[in-house]
Amino acid sequence: GENVEQHPSTLSVQEGDSAVIKCTYSDSASNYFPWYKQELGKRPQLIIDIRSNVGEKKDQRIAVTLNKTAKHFSLHITETQPEDSAVYFCAAEYQGAQKLVFGQGTRLTINP
Amino acid sequence: DVKVTQSSRYLVKRTGEKVFLECVQDMDHENMFWYRQDPGLGLRLIYFSYDVKMKEKGDIPEGYSVSREKKERFSLILESASTNQTSMYLCASSLTSGRETQYFGPGTRLLVL
C-alpha cells in the first residue's frame, strides 16, 4: 500500500528564519499532495496543496515543491512567525482509493 | 462554512464496553472518514465511506466497525473496547474524491481503562 514518510519529526527555528519539511511517497500514481496544519488543541486544517501537473505552488509565506521523479515534496515557510508553531502533516492521495495517506507529522516550534 | 461535529470531546470507557463515536457534517459531502491520531504516528485511516451504506477499510480497521445510514452521519463503533484503543479519534469529510479538501471535526479523546 501507499506509504508517506515525513521528516523531521520536530523542528525548531528562530522567528524570521525559514522552515522546511520534507515528505516522500511510494505510489508513483499519486497526483495530489496536501499539507495540513494542526495548532495545539485544534483540528487539522488544509493550508496548501499541489497537484502533479505543477512543480511548485506558493501562497504568501508558504510554498510547496513537488518532484515526481524522485517521489518527494516539501513545505517551505519563510519569515516564520510565532503563529506558525503547530504540527504539520503532509499527505498523498492513494490513486483510485479515494483516500489520503498522511505522514507522521512534524512539530514546528518558532522561537522568539 | 463547512461544519463537522463529533458527539463527544472526551470519553472514558471500561475495557470490553461497546463504544459509539458519532460524526455529523452539514455540507452534503459524499466522503466521510475516521482517523485515529497517536503521537509519532500521524493520522491513520480506520474506515471511510463514499456513499450512504458504503464503507471501505482503511489502514487499521481491526477492532472497529462503522455505520453510515444517512449521508450526513458517520459512526465509528468499538465493539469491545481495549486499552490499546485509547487515542484521539478524528472524523473528516470531503465533497467527493480524495483530491479535495478534508474538513475535520474537533476530535474525541477516548480513554479506555
Side-chain angles (χ1 to χ4, degrees):
Chain A
E2 174 70 285
N3 185 46
V4 176
E5 293 289 331
Q6 182 173 348
H7 299 280
S9 57
T10 59
L11 180 59
S12 184
V13 302
Q14 288 299 121
E15 183 177 352
D17 288 350
S18 295
V20 181
I21 303 170
K22 299 181 179 180
C23 290
T24 59
Y25 61 98
S26 59
D27 185 357
S28 58
S30 293
N31 290 310
Y32 174 65
F33 308 91
W35 286 88
Y36 284 78
K37 175 183 180 183
Q38 186 178 29
E39 296 177 18
L40 188 64
K42 297 192 176 179
R43 66 193 78 187
Q45 290 191 299
L46 179 75
I47 54 171
I48 194 167
D49 57 18
I50 190 167
R51 299 174 195 268
S52 59
N53 56 343
V54 297
E56 184 173 359
K57 184 176 178 180
K58 199 170 180 180
D59 182 5
Q60 298 182 19
R61 297 186 297 106
I62 293 173
V64 58
T65 58
L66 172 65
N67 184 327
K68 280 221 79 177
T69 304
K71 290 191 284 186
H72 66 70
F73 56 111
S74 300
L75 178 72
H76 305 254
I77 306 174
T78 58
E79 300 172 16
T80 53
Q81 299 171 5
E83 55 264 35
D84 295 328
S85 292
V87 177
Y88 292 81
F89 294 99
C90 64
E93 170 212 14
Y94 193 178
Q95 181 68 15
Q98 297 217 46
K99 67 177 189 179
L100 295 176
V101 177
F102 284 85
Q104 296 86 350
T106 297
R107 182 174 298 279
L108 175 63
T109 302
I110 308 301
N111 301 308
Chain B
D1 249 5
V2 176
K3 194 169 182 183
V4 181
T5 58
Q6 294 183 228
S7 49
S8 305
R9 291 302 302 272
Y10 301 95
L11 269 182
V12 180
K13 296 292 181 182
R14 298 261 174 216
T15 302
E17 279 192 84
K18 192 169 186 175
V19 182
F20 292 88
L21 303 182
E22 195 165 74
C23 176
V24 177
Q25 50 93 5
D26 68 354
M27 283 301 291
D28 204 32
H29 283 179
E30 293 182 4
N31 287 14
M32 295 188 75
F33 309 85
W34 275 106
Y35 296 92
R36 65 176 281 177
Q37 181 175 14
D38 301 289
L41 298 178
L43 303 171
R44 293 182 293 166
L45 183 65
I46 304 171
Y47 268 95
F48 68 105
S49 168
Y50 52 87
D51 201 353
V52 175
K53 296 193 185 294
M54 304 301 291
K55 60 184 179 184
E56 293 282 345
K57 291 181 179 179
D59 301 314
I60 52 166
E62 297 79 18
Y64 304 94
S65 62
V66 290
S67 173
R68 193 162 180 205
E69 295 296 318
K70 293 185 178 182
K71 191 173 186 180
E72 68 271 18
R73 198 176 297 266
F74 193 35
S75 300
L76 180 69
I77 304 152
L78 288 66
E79 294 289 341
S80 178
S82 63
T83 54
N84 62 12
Q85 292 179 309
T86 290
S87 187
M88 171 67 84
Y89 290 87
L90 287 163
C91 173
S93 71
S94 67
L95 185 57
T96 52
S97 75
R99 297 182 185 177
E100 299 191 1
T101 305
Q102 290 192 14
Y103 296 89
F104 285 84
T108 296
R109 188 166 292 281
L110 174 66
L111 173 62
V112 182
L113 300 174

